[in-house]
């Protein structure tokens, strides 16, 4: 009976923490950054090879540079989200494995089990809460 429940839980964890969309976004951002970097390199090469008005060069340079910087910032956010999702998914799977080892599932809150698992809870705000378990893993919202 419990085995079927855990299979369903693992499927739910897999779908809730599905990173496919973020991985695609990361790939797209990297591709856009590569194109920008090539444009910037070409502009620099042209500026070094052919004398030109530096104000015109700077005007041509600023747009791709700004675009590159925006994509770089977006990539950092996506990578941060991915890292957090992977860590949370691993923590949830760890907890599920620990629960699987039990003979029976918990039916109600048990203060002793709670205290045995949880080291501390940090509430940064109403929406931002972090539970730190005794094994050092964390689940944060």
């Amino acid at each position: 009976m419990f085995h079927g429940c855990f299979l369903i839980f693992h499927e739910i964890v897999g779908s809730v923490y599905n990173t496919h969309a973020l991985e695609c976004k990361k790939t797209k951002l990297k591709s856009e950054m590569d194109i920008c970097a090539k444009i910037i390199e070409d502009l620099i090469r042209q500026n070094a090879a052919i004398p030109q008005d530096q104000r015109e060069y700077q005007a041509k340079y600023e747009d791709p540079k700004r675009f590159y910087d925006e994509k770089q910032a977006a990539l950092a956010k996506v990578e941060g989200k991915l890292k957090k999702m992977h860590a949370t998914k691993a923590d949830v799977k760890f907890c599920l494995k620990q629960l699987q080892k039990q003979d029976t599932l918990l039916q109600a809150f048990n203060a002793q089990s709670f205290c045995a698992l949880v080291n501390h809870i940090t509430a940064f705000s109403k929406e931002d809460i972090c539970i730190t378990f005794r094994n050092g893993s964390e689940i944060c919202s």
Side-chain angles (χ1 to χ4, degrees):
M1 178 182 141
F2 296 127
H3 182 67
C5 290
F6 285 110
L7 288 176
I8 292 169
F9 287 143
H10 282 287
E11 285 180 31
I12 291 170
V13 169
S15 64
V16 169
Y17 296 104
N18 185 340
T19 59
H20 180 72
L22 284 174
E23 294 290 351
C24 289
K25 190 172 184 176
K26 178 180 171 180
T27 300
K28 183 179 181 219
L29 287 167
K30 283 185 171 187
S31 175
E32 290 171 343
M33 287 174 64
D34 289 344
I35 292 168
C36 269
K38 177 145 178 34
I39 291 169
I40 292 169
E41 288 171 6
D42 289 345
L43 285 170
I44 292 170
R45 203 173 300 114
Q46 287 175 359
N47 187 48
I50 304 166
Q52 50 187 304
D53 183 331
Q54 290 303 296
R55 283 179 288 209
E56 287 178 26
Y57 164 74
Q58 197 63 35
K60 290 179 191 176
Y61 178 84
E62 285 176 11
D63 284 339
K65 175 67 172 126
R66 183 174 39 252
F67 187 76
Y68 181 89
D69 291 343
E70 289 170 1
K71 297 301 173 183
Q72 192 173 36
L75 178 63
K77 285 182 182 179
V78 167
E79 288 177 334
K81 286 180 184 178
L82 280 168
K83 184 177 179 181
K84 188 174 181 179
M85 282 182 78
H86 285 298
T88 304
K89 183 178 181 178
D91 290 342
V92 170
K93 283 187 170 188
F94 171 79
C95 289
L96 285 175
K97 284 181 183 176
Q98 296 306 309
L99 287 173
Q100 265 181 307
K101 292 178 183 178
Q102 295 184 6
D103 294 334
T104 60
L105 290 178
L106 296 174
Q107 300 297 318
F109 176 79
N110 180 319
Q112 186 177 6
S113 295
F114 180 82
C115 291
L117 291 171
V118 176
N119 185 20
H120 64 276
I121 298 173
T122 307
F124 300 103
S125 70
K126 189 175 180 179
E127 295 83 25
D128 191 8
I129 298 171
C130 210
I131 301 170
T132 305
F133 294 91
R134 295 206 181 270
N135 71 352
S137 62
E138 293 182 332
I139 297 178
C140 300
S141 62

